[in-house]
Amino acid sequence: MKINRDGVALHARVDGVDDPAAPTIMFANSLGTTLHLWDGVVPLLPAGLRIVRYDMRGHGQSDVPDAPYTMGQLISDAAAICDALDVRDALFVGLSVGGMVAQGLAIKRPDIIRALVLSNTAAKIGSPQMWQDRIDTVNSKGLAAMADGVMQRWFGRDFYGTPAMAPWQDMLVATPAQGYAGTCAAIAGTDFYTPTSGLRLPTLGIAGADDGATPPDLVRETVDLIPGSQFRLIPRVGHLPCAEDPAGYATILNQFLKDTGHV
């Protein structure tokens, strides 16, 4: 379905039980991926859930407005989808920039989120100069020129270079350059250390042991800002553990669903 926010059409999908009264889990993706990032995990979730996924602006089947974007826009996009689908008291899973959106949405709209999964993310990722360098490369050379370096950050040694990696590289390269650069700008301007430290809700951090984008210590540092949070490390995977090891990822997620009483 398409949900319009301020003239930007956002692509969303509902799987499982299509009923707002059902317990809901919502997923937000990483930079350079679409809602299909979660294809391997969704079938492994418990029955009875309403499962909401969406493409961020500039990605997948959502519109590609002119860059740059702000984190406030990305958070408001997520809120608009939740309001359109009557999502309340959800378990929200955000990976990488999706995890930044999750933090911001939990701060801005506590009615939407009752529990939080911060996967391969942080309150602040990289430096403004690092992101500007990436924007410059995308604008001058395109995503294909930087795809191999991204793959090395995304995946562990066991997965990198195998035929199973090819669809993910294709997904990255298919991302509109404007959408990728716009989202880089949103990440560059974000520092959630202070607001995230004020959150008080059940939180699980997930990290990949071989993550070259958000190393485990960075993920742990962020979730430790939230009292009572949990942390899980998945061995031998990189920045996208839900793609590389969907079964291991789903096992951790399903346990958190039970621990929080969401199923």
Side-chain angles (χ1 to χ4, degrees), residues 17-258:
V17 180
D18 191 7
D19 180 356
T24 299
I25 182 169
M26 184 164 178
F27 292 96
N29 318 323
S30 61
L31 173 67
T33 67
T34 72
L35 57 76
H36 294 293
L37 176 64
W38 308 100
D39 280 355
V41 172
V42 166
L44 305 177
L45 297 175
L49 286 172
R50 181 170 65 147
I51 302 162
V52 179
R53 296 180 278 170
Y54 73 101
D55 290 331
M56 287 192 187
R57 62 172 57 206
H59 289 72
Q61 296 181 54
S62 289
D63 282 355
V64 187
D66 291 341
Y69 311 151
T70 67
M71 187 56 63
Q73 287 175 319
L74 301 186
I75 293 165
S76 294
D77 290 347
I81 292 167
C82 290
D83 287 340
L85 299 178
D86 196 20
V87 173
R88 295 294 181 269
D89 296 320
L91 189 148
F92 197 103
V93 183
L95 191 147
S96 197
V97 65
M100 293 182 128
V101 170
Q103 292 169 70
L105 189 63
I107 294 156
K108 180 180 178 181
R109 293 289 304 274
D111 57 315
I112 291 175
I113 300 178
R114 69 177 294 269
L116 198 56
V117 177
L118 300 178
S119 179
N120 305 82
T121 190
K124 178 178 173 62
I125 300 175
S127 67
Q129 187 58 55
M130 183 201 87
W131 290 111
Q132 187 58 52
D133 290 346
R134 197 174 296 188
I135 291 168
D136 293 343
T137 300
V138 170
N139 288 337
S140 63
K141 299 180 180 178
L143 273 163
M146 54 189 291
D148 186 63
V150 173
M151 292 301 104
Q152 292 180 47
R153 292 189 294 272
W154 275 11
F155 298 116
R157 291 183 297 273
D158 295 347
F159 195 87
Y160 172 78
T162 66
M165 189 189 82
W168 301 104
Q169 184 161 330
D170 292 344
M171 181 184 287
L172 171 71
V173 173
T175 304
Q178 189 88 255
Y180 191 93
T183 306
C184 286
I187 300 170
T190 301
D191 182 342
F192 277 148
Y193 273 103
T194 298
T196 295
S197 67
L199 289 173
R200 298 293 182 270
L201 76 171
T203 301
L204 168 67
I206 300 176
D210 298 333
D211 188 343
T214 52
D217 286 348
L218 185 65
V219 180
R220 187 189 291 273
E221 180 183 45
T222 296
V223 298
D224 280 351
L225 296 171
I226 304 171
S229 61
Q230 304 176 37
F231 177 81
R232 297 288 181 271
L233 181 67
I234 304 179
R236 306 180 75 85
V237 300
H239 191 56
L240 304 183
C242 53
E244 206 166 348
D245 182 13
Y249 197 91
T251 297
I252 292 170
L253 202 53
N254 289 342
Q255 186 59 53
F256 189 64
L257 286 163
K258 294 174 184 175

